[in-house]
């Protein structure tokens, strides 16, 4: 089991490490993509603002823009800047190579080339130049800003000092969004200029990656639990096979770690040892029983001879001894019969027999034992069953005699059948059998500690023999409570048991 636990921990640790690495790579890729989008948006503002300033004739230092510009018009004008800013194209050729064009592609007004992104973006200075320039009116500046696709312009009806421009701006390779507040002389409201930020925040990406990682880990844990459950089912199957007496099942166990196979091998070894002990026990009982037949026969013969040589007073004693010898002979016979039924060495010969005639013969043969009881027999005369007549007779006789020992006044015998089975019910009006003790009556030599005691006679083998006979007939013996309050024994066997012999 320690090996199995270590295997589970090892798989979880390895899988968790792989998931953590994948999550780290995914977050790096997401972060890189977000930074790229942010840089592109800032470059978009740079390109639009600086190109508009060139077309409007507003002078600015070349280092304030990330682009190297080429102006294709001889006389810049504000009208050209405002009119053509919406035709601005920002084309990304490679990761850090952009081309900016204003006007038709065949005859551009302004062209800008970006070879690499500088470490510092001077958007604040560019915007200050644009918004503080005298070449453009307030309306033209506002119109120009509103046409830039990566800038949001909002108006606030709030009075503020003239020329206010402040806010936050991130720059460099990881540049983020920026926001500016601008007011102009003679205008009663403020203007908010905000650069678009990416649609998905990085914190949401982190949450998304963590959720995916947790789901992946849960799937791995679920898979490991399924593997353990399959091994549990396999082990249950193995134990059932061992319980049925099958050995050498460990060869069929598929277990890479060997833990389950080792456990199954231990159970298999234990089962084999128990089977050997039971076999030795059966062989010993059978041998003793066979060996007892000879001295029992000698005792019986000797007692018969003694009857001729003793007086009448001793004959009664000899008759009692003969009864004891006969009882011992019956016990030996039952032990041998049960042993053969238990190990399957007794051949059963199936034939069509009349159940009515078998019951009548049993009742007639045991008339003396049953004379004090009222018998209620409900068995049809025209029904034949498929069974081994000798052993079926033995089973029914054991059940009827068992009922006679505990019945107070009557015994009921009834027969029913359907498409699948035959059933013979034997009921008595005795003390009955408690529910928790019903399985114990089939244990060989076992007796219950209630009214069914040794005072009733028997050896505790009669019902065990009945159960084995029912088993070899493809059936079973069931115990229930009779309508009169006593015990009800039901002998059930299959109608499809058509073999000529079963061993």
């Amino acid at each position: 089991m320690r090996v199995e636990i270590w295997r589970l921990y090892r798989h979880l640790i390895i899988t968790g490490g792989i998931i953590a690495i994948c999550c780290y790579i995914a977050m790096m890729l997401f972060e890189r993509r977000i930074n790229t989008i942010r840089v592109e948006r800032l470059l978009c503002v740079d390109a639009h603002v600086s190109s508009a300033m060139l077309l409007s004739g507003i002078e600015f230092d070349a280092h304030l823009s990330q682009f190297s510009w080429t102006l294709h018009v001889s006389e810049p004008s504000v009208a050209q800047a405002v009119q053509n800013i919406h035709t601005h194209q920002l084309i990304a050729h490679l990761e850090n190579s952009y081309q900016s064009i204003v006007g038709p592609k065949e005859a551009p007004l302004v062209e800008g080339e970006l070879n690499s992104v500088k470490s510092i973006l001077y958007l604040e200075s560019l915007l200050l130049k644009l918004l503080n320039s005298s070449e453009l009116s307030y309306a033209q500046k506002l119109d120009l800003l509103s046409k830039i696709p990566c800038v949001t312009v909002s108006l606030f009806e709030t009075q503020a000092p003239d020329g206010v421009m402040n806010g936050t701006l991130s720059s460099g390779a990881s540049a983020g969004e920026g926001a500016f507040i601008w007011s102009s002389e003679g205008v009663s409201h403020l203007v908010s200029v905000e650069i678009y930020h990416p649609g998905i925040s990085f914190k949401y990406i982190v949450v998304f990656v963590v959720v995916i990682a947790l789901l992946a880990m849960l799937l791995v844990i679920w898979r490991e639990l399924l593997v353990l459950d399959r091994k549990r089912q396999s082990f249950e199957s193995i134990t059932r096979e061992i319980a049925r007496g099958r050995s050498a099942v460990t060869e069929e166990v598929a277990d890479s770690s060997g833990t389950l196979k080792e456990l199954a091998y231990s159970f298999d070894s234990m089962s084999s040892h128990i089977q050997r002990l039971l076999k030795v026990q059966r062989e010993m009982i059978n041998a003793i029983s066979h060996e007892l037949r000879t001295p029992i026969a000698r005792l019986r013969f000797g007692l018969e001879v003694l009857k001729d040589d003793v007086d009448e007073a001793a004959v009664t004693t000899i008759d009692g001894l003969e009864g004891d010898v006969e009882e011992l002979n019956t016990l030996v016979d039952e032990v041998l019969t049960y042993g053969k039924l238990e190990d399957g060495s007794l051949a059963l010969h199936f034939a069509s027999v009349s159940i009515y005639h078998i019951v009548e013969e049993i009742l007639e043969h045991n008339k003396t034992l049953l004379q004090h009881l009222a018998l209620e027999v409900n068995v049809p005369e025209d029904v034949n069953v498929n069974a081994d007549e000798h052993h079926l007779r033995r089973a029914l006789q054991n059940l009827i005699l068992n009922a006679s020992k505990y019945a107070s006044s009557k015994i009921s015998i009834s027969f029913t059948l359907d498409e699948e089975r035959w059933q013979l019910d034997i009921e008595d009006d005795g003390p009955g059998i408690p529910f928790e003790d019903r399985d114990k009556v089939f244990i060989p030599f076992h007796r219950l500690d209630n009214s069914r005691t040794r005072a009733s006679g028997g050896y505790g083998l009669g019902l065990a023999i009945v159960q084995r006979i029912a088993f070899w007939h493809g059936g079973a013996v069931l115990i229930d409570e009779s309508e009169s309050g006593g015990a009800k024994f039901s002998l059930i066997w299959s109608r499809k048991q058509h073999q000529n012999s079963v061993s």
Side-chain angles (χ1 to χ4, degrees):
M1 188 59 66
R2 183 177 298 176
V3 175
E4 192 67 23
I5 294 174
W6 168 240
R7 183 196 65 81
L8 177 61
Y9 277 130
R10 186 173 66 249
H11 285 187
L12 292 178
I13 291 172
I14 293 174
T15 306
I18 294 174
I19 292 175
I21 293 173
C22 292
C23 291
Y24 176 79
I25 294 174
M27 292 177 66
M28 292 298 101
L29 293 176
F30 276 122
E31 184 179 17
R32 184 176 180 182
R33 177 56 183 162
I34 290 175
N35 287 336
T36 301
I37 294 174
R38 285 173 173 171
V39 170
E40 287 180 350
R41 294 181 188 280
L42 293 174
L43 291 176
C44 172
V45 177
D46 183 347
H48 281 79
V49 172
S50 56
S51 60
M53 292 172 67
L54 283 174
L55 287 173
S56 303
I58 302 173
E59 296 183 358
F60 62 93
D61 296 335
H63 72 276
L64 295 180
S65 174
Q66 301 287 307
F67 293 86
S68 299
W69 293 101
T70 302
L71 186 63
H72 295 289
V73 293
S74 55
E75 295 182 3
S77 67
V78 175
Q80 286 180 328
V82 176
Q83 180 181 357
N84 293 290
I85 193 67
H86 67 279
T87 62
H88 196 290
Q89 302 171 38
L90 184 64
I91 304 171
H93 297 296
L94 296 173
E95 181 180 354
N96 287 324
S97 178
Y98 296 84
Q99 183 180 13
S100 182
I101 301 173
V102 180
K105 202 167 187 179
E106 299 77 12
L109 302 175
V110 180
E111 281 186 289
E113 188 75 23
L114 174 70
N115 294 321
S116 61
V117 180
K118 299 175 184 177
S119 60
I120 299 177
L121 297 174
Y122 298 98
L123 289 182
E124 184 176 350
S125 299
L126 281 174
L127 284 172
L128 280 172
K129 285 281 186 181
L130 175 65
L131 298 177
N132 292 329
S133 64
S134 59
E135 286 83 354
L136 298 175
S137 66
Y138 171 79
Q140 289 174 331
K141 295 174 184 177
L142 197 59
D143 188 24
L144 186 63
L145 290 175
S146 63
K147 288 183 177 179
I148 298 177
C150 41
V151 169
T152 301
V153 177
S154 304
L155 302 179
F156 298 95
E157 296 295 332
T158 302
Q159 185 66 38
D162 293 340
V164 173
M165 179 180 174
N166 54 33
T168 60
L169 179 67
S170 299
S171 60
S174 59
E177 63 276 6
F180 303 89
I181 301 298
W182 168 51
S183 67
S184 182
E185 183 179 357
V187 178
S188 63
H189 53 259
L190 297 177
V191 179
S192 170
V193 181
E194 183 180 0
I195 300 173
Y196 284 172
H197 56 78
I200 301 178
S201 175
F202 189 71
K203 63 181 179 181
Y204 296 118
I205 294 175
V206 172
V207 173
F208 173 76
V209 172
V210 170
V211 170
I212 294 297
L214 289 176
L215 291 177
M217 201 65 188
L218 289 176
L219 287 176
V220 172
I221 295 174
W222 178 252
R223 177 184 173 277
E224 292 296 328
L225 292 177
L226 288 179
V227 171
L228 291 177
D229 186 64
R230 282 196 297 269
K231 291 187 176 184
R232 178 192 60 81
Q233 294 176 356
S234 176
F235 184 69
E236 286 182 358
S237 176
I238 291 168
T239 53
R240 284 194 295 268
E241 292 294 329
I242 292 174
R244 294 186 184 122
R246 184 182 172 192
S247 58
V249 294
T250 53
E251 301 298 330
E252 303 176 7
V253 179
D255 183 23
S256 58
S257 65
T259 305
L260 184 60
K261 183 173 291 187
E262 182 179 344
L263 190 57
Y265 178 77
S266 299
F267 269 82
D268 195 12
S269 300
M270 179 182 64
S271 174
S272 300
H273 183 63
I274 293 174
Q275 290 178 21
R276 284 195 300 270
L277 292 177
L278 292 175
K279 183 178 179 181
V280 170
Q281 182 188 35
R282 286 195 298 266
E283 290 176 350
M284 182 180 65
I285 293 174
N286 290 337
I288 293 174
S289 300
H290 277 291
E291 293 299 325
L292 284 175
R293 283 185 177 274
T294 301
I296 289 173
R298 290 174 183 171
L299 286 172
R300 184 185 295 170
F301 178 74
L303 292 173
E304 287 290 337
V305 172
L306 282 176
K307 280 185 178 181
D308 299 331
D309 300 331
V310 297
D311 55 18
E312 292 295 330
V315 171
T316 304
T317 303
I318 293 175
D319 288 338
L321 292 174
E322 284 183 336
D324 293 336
V325 171
E326 186 61 32
E327 186 177 347
L328 182 59
N329 186 62
T330 303
L331 173 60
V332 170
D333 180 63
E334 288 197 352
V335 170
L336 291 174
T337 301
Y338 180 77
K340 291 178 180 179
L341 287 170
E342 181 68 24
D343 59 18
S345 62
L346 190 65
L348 302 181
H349 302 281
F350 286 82
S352 180
V353 296
S354 172
I355 187 68
Y356 176 80
H357 289 157
I358 292 177
V359 172
E360 284 296 316
E361 289 176 4
I362 294 173
L363 297 179
E364 181 66 26
H365 183 71
N366 297 280
K367 183 183 296 185
T368 304
L369 295 174
L370 302 172
Q371 61 183 356
H372 66 289
L373 299 171
L375 299 177
E376 182 181 331
V377 181
N378 184 20
V379 179
E381 299 183 18
D382 57 346
V383 175
N384 286 355
V385 299
N386 186 55
D388 180 277
E389 183 176 0
H390 172 72
H391 290 92
L392 180 61
R393 188 190 308 274
R394 178 69 176 270
L396 295 181
Q397 178 171 287
N398 285 2
L399 289 176
I400 292 173
L401 294 181
N402 180 74
S404 69
K405 296 173 185 177
Y406 308 108
S408 299
S409 59
K410 71 172 183 177
I411 295 177
S412 299
I413 304 173
S414 60
F415 178 81
T416 56
L417 74 160
D418 56 30
E419 296 181 355
E420 299 291 332
R421 63 184 185 175
W422 293 293
Q423 179 171 333
L424 191 75
D425 299 324
I426 300 173
E427 304 179 49
D428 63 66
D429 60 348
I433 303 176
F435 180 81
E436 62 273 11
D437 293 332
R438 290 175 182 175
D439 289 336
K440 299 177 183 178
V441 299
F442 298 111
I443 301 175
F445 304 106
H446 183 82
R447 304 189 63 81
L448 302 181
D449 294 328
N450 54 18
S451 60
R452 295 176 179 261
T453 61
R454 289 199 181 275
S456 61
Y459 316 103
L461 277 174
L463 294 179
I465 291 175
V466 173
Q467 187 188 51
R468 299 310 298 171
I469 292 175
F471 172 78
W472 290 116
H473 278 73
V477 183
L478 304 180
I479 304 176
D480 204 349
E481 184 179 352
S482 70
E483 295 181 357
S484 56
K488 175 183 177 181
F489 285 83
S490 299
L491 176 62
I492 304 171
W493 70 103
S494 174
R495 297 186 65 171
K496 298 181 180 180
Q497 196 81 358
H498 296 305
Q499 300 98 306
N500 291 327
S501 64
V502 177
S503 60

